[in-house]
Amino acid sequence: MNDFDEFDAFEAGAHQSLSARALGARQVAYLDDLNPAQRAAVEALDGPVLMLAGAGTGKTKALTTRIVHLLNTGRARPNEILAVTFTNKAAREMKDRVGRMLGHAAEGMGWMGTFHSISVKLLRRHAELAGLRSNFTILDTDDQIRLLKQLILAGNIDEKRWPARQLAGIIDNWKNRAWTPTRVPASEASAFNNRAVELYAAYQERLRTLNAVDFGDLLLHVVTIFQAHPDVLEQYQRWLRYILVDEYQDTNVAQYMWLRLLAQGHCNICCVGDDDQSIYGWRGAEVGNILRFEKDFPGAQVIRLEQNYRSTPHILGAASGLIASNKGRLGKTLWTDAPEGERVRLIGHWDGEEEARWIGEEVEALQRGTRGLDPISPDHMAILVRASHQMRAFEDRFLTIGLPYRVIGGPRFYERLEIRDAMAYFRLAVGPTDDLAFERIVNTPKRGLGDKAQQLIQRVAREAGVPLLEGARRVVSEGLLGGKGLAELRRLVTQIDQWHDRVRRGEQNHIELAEQILDDSGYTAHWQNDKTPEAPGRLENLKELVKALEQFENLQGFLEHVALIMDNETEDTAEKVSIMTLHAAKGLEFQAVFLPGWEDGLFPSQRSMDESGLSGLEEERRLAYVGITRAEVICTISFASNRRVYGQWQSALPSRFIDELPEDHVEVLTPPGLYGGGYGAAGMTSGVEARAASANVYNSPGWKRLQERAATRPVAQPRESRNVVIDLEAASSFTLGDRVFHQKFGYGTVQGIEGDKLDVSFDKAGSKKLVARFVVAADQADDVPF
DNA sequence: AAGATCAAGCTTTTT
DNA sequence: GCTTGATCTT
């Protein structure tokens, strides 16, 4: 049902009955589950409220209970509550939890969702006010960049010096600040070789003709509509009587304006956030929004949730001590009544590989149960890195020792090439005027329609002022193209017509239709004929895609949702260690957390500091804070003296954040030998042994002096000797049929030998040609320290 | 038009 | 070092 119809029906009625109903004791039993601060946050229903919720303080619980309480007290009906989150996952979780508390699905909560999904809903309703039709398409970053590239070329700009990616960044930034092309301040005019504003305007124009929007537009258009049409805004202010916002510290200016506009009037707005966990400044998030809240909403109640239910006192102490170095915080003191627990462990390693090896062993030790701790399932352990390229060292190592892991936040399902291609076909079937989709698939699979043919179609279409499909149709009917290309193009045009026809008539089951589109077009065959090792996986993904269609009534509905729901949560029950970035870890918790790579330049990231100075450093520090506070039971921070970056060996100092950790909460495992006499950690293979070797490094010669000494110490070269030995052995000793082991590809059989190269058929990874020194005989796999 | 070779890059990424 | 895109080659 349309939410607006519900509104209309509701407005015709009256508000009385619910609010008049007395609340029995049984109905508010949920309030007894809350601590005093949570309870205050739940019961302060009217007027502006800022809920400062530290890590692990039961924020979601307070938020969902508040929604239930709004309903129970009769303040609002499900449809009158606007609850905004940043991610679909958070929205889903909120919906589930509210539903669970109510004892039935949270029906009618039509305004619970992400900023973007709610904006889509608003924008479809009022598209014409933004110069769009309500069936506009939503472009993702990839489409956006391709479009910008065209405009850059059309503007006679050297795309190499001025890449589309950079322009996309500038435009995104402006949109995040709610600047339309005319509102970009003069001070920004020099951006992109003085051409950015002009290109931005051209881009917006192009989007309008394509009847398309990008992610930034979703918010921007809604803000612009609200500003230009007070009557429309007023409607929503009346309808949406209570507003809740999750992760408020991550809102950007456009989102802030969006909220302000809707909230002004009743001012029933409850923002939940934690200024110490603001880690998306680089994407336009304004910590200022949360710091300014009390000024923006006079009379706001500020409620602090400070009782932590997640971590031990040592972990909290370390995190609090670290974040205390940041200026301009709203300030919170997290506390817990949990038993003291383990200190945060700190360990230095010779290089990144050793760090990965040590962590691998430590994971296994924790899994068995060590240090007097209960055994911890790998499911409840995570390795949190600053940058995704750090993940590889762990993947390599874990593959070697056969430790199951999962990487969170890799390329997402709907961003994969084959999925995007398939989607382009579906888009064309639904809306044959979708030029971007047409461009994408016209020569995929190969139809002999290369650059020249495509330019011809473009030209014909542009001259006639028609979509590309129509242009193609004319090219065919007028025979402007030769031989193979012509026949293929004719076939494609006919096929698109047929698909569109079927979509329109809606007679055919949309799942069958989708399968047929992929088969008819030759796209399935394209991957079946592809001999690369990725091909089977891609076909698998296509099957997944078709399966995902089952949840929707038709192709249109599917496309609508997919544009916004880009997450890729595959349930997998096997017990695995998680590897992810610190950013991806926000909101999650693990019993054991490893924080590798705490080296100056890597973390805090040099680039962050160069580009954003002190505020960049503070954001990095918040990232560190987020990392530590993910840990429930045990947290291990590590750094490596040497690390290979972009193929070059580099030595680095331990992160300055390490100095900022309060010593009382830290246990230093690093043996003194590490800094004194070169590689000294050879015997230190597990945490238990390391602990025996742990000296009072913090106090003894002075931790800082140690660092200084490390700085002046000559750069040590990585050990090579053992690898060289293996190399010589390996190169000469293999024969056809030998079983070998490779650290990334696993076990395999030698199929051929050419000089120093082996042709190996791996059990899991398929056939690879590689240099002999990268593999060892299978029976030696366990002894070799890679 | 399609494969092959080479240079230039290179944080984080909810939607 | 390794991937990605642009140019070169057939």
Side-chain angles (χ1 to χ4, degrees), chain A residues 398-424:
Chain A
F398 293 175
L399 276 168
T400 307
I401 61 175
L403 179 67
Y405 66 88
R406 74 169 70 82
V407 171
I408 314 271
R412 282 168 294 181
F413 188 69
Y414 290 108
E415 283 170 5
R416 291 176 186 180
L417 175 89
E418 65 278 15
I419 300 303
R420 296 175 45 81
D421 286 343
M423 300 275 296

Side-chain angles (χ1 to χ4, degrees), chain A residues 530-582:
Chain A
D530 189 302
K531 291 288 172 268
T532 57
E534 299 92 67
R538 299 201 192 265
L539 283 166
E540 203 54 45
N541 288 337
L542 288 173
K543 272 197 205 124
E544 276 297 301
L545 178 71
V546 172
K547 216 170 85 195
L549 286 170
E550 286 170 16
Q551 295 167 30
F552 296 88
E553 279 179 27
N554 50 41
L555 278 181
Q556 293 94 315
F558 177 68
L559 292 175
E560 161 82 358
H561 278 260
V562 156
L564 291 174
I565 302 172
M566 299 289 276
D567 59 357
N568 175 28
E569 297 253 320
T570 44
E571 72 290 348
D572 93 64
T573 45
E575 299 209 328
K576 294 173 173 172
V577 197
S578 298
I579 305 174
M580 68 185 95
T581 64
L582 287 159

Side-chain angles (χ1 to χ4, degrees), chain A residues 278-283 384-387 580-588 608 619-620 623 626-627:
Chain A
S278 164
I279 54 175
Y280 285 107
W282 51 275
R283 207 166 46 195
L384 311 181
V385 297
R386 176 62 184 82
M580 68 185 95
T581 64
L582 287 159
H583 284 91
K586 190 164 77 148
L588 306 178
S608 234
E619 182 153 316
E620 297 284 306
L623 209 41
V626 167

